Amino acid sequence: MKKLMLIILLVGTPLVAQENRHEKIKALKRAHITETLSLSPSEAEKFWPVYNVYEDRMHTLKRSERKELGIFKDESLESMTDAEANTLIDKIMELKSQEVQYRHELITDLRKVLPPKKIILLKKAEDDFKRQLLKQIRQRKGKK
């Protein structure tokens, strides 16, 4: 029984750590966007539900993309037929089209709750946050 508990603890710990890391990043992104856009409490109350739906949809889409396009391994590309390559190209285009559709829906919904300048600032805030996050990741990898 003790061995079983130890195994569960060892297997579950990385998952909890990863989930905590994901939640921490999400909270930092939320703070960064709120600060960059200078959201008032009433704007934030309307903005975050709309943005959270978008983020959830994009997260699901990206997960699907990783799963569907996992074929991009070097060894499988060499043996891919033209028909398989065309199917993959179509899938990539479909996923990118869906990304654009989600972004379009986000902008349409945000126009009802934010001034246009803040919607423009949102893209900058997202890009800046991503850049800062990647910089920190690179710095940590360099320290190891």
Side-chain angles (χ1 to χ4, degrees):
M1 185 67 172
K2 287 182 181 182
K3 287 181 182 181
L4 179 61
M5 292 299 287
L6 181 61
I7 290 171
I8 291 172
L9 183 63
L10 291 175
V11 171
T13 301
L15 296 175
V16 171
Q18 186 175 0
E19 187 173 314
N20 288 340
R21 182 175 36 228
H22 180 69
E23 289 302 316
K24 183 178 178 183
I25 290 170
K26 200 172 181 177
L28 290 170
K29 182 176 183 180
R30 187 178 181 109
H32 179 77
I33 289 173
T34 300
E35 182 180 328
T36 302
L37 271 57
S38 300
L39 294 175
S40 69
S42 65
E43 286 174 331
E45 184 179 322
K46 295 172 189 170
F47 170 80
W48 286 111
V50 171
Y51 191 78
N52 289 337
V53 167
Y54 166 76
E55 282 281 286
D56 291 344
R57 294 170 87 189
M58 288 301 293
H59 179 73
T60 302
L61 185 65
K62 293 295 182 182
R63 186 180 309 148
S64 173
E65 184 176 16
R66 283 189 302 273
K67 182 181 175 185
E68 300 262 348
L69 304 181
I71 194 167
F72 273 128
K73 307 264 188 286
D74 289 333
E75 62 275 1
S76 62
L77 289 175
E78 294 299 320
S79 62
M80 186 181 294
T81 66
D82 284 347
E84 290 170 332
N86 277 323
T87 301
L88 188 58
I89 290 168
D90 291 342
K91 188 61 182 177
I92 291 168
M93 297 304 293
E94 179 185 323
L95 291 167
K96 293 301 174 187
S97 177
Q98 192 65 54
E99 259 184 67
V100 171
Q101 180 63 34
Y102 289 162
R103 190 68 182 194
H104 183 270
E105 291 171 10
L106 171 70
I107 300 303
T108 300
D109 291 344
L110 288 180
R111 283 184 166 160
K112 298 171 190 169
V113 298
L114 288 180
K117 288 182 182 179
K118 288 191 178 185
I119 295 172
I120 297 291
L121 273 175
L122 173 61
K123 177 67 175 145
K124 182 180 180 338
E126 290 171 324
D127 291 346
D128 289 348
F129 182 79
K130 189 184 304 182
R131 225 179 337 273
Q132 289 173 0
L133 186 62
L134 289 172
K135 183 179 177 182
Q136 286 181 354
I137 290 170
R138 285 186 197 116
Q139 287 173 344
R140 285 186 183 160
K141 283 185 179 182
K143 289 180 181 179
K144 289 183 179 182

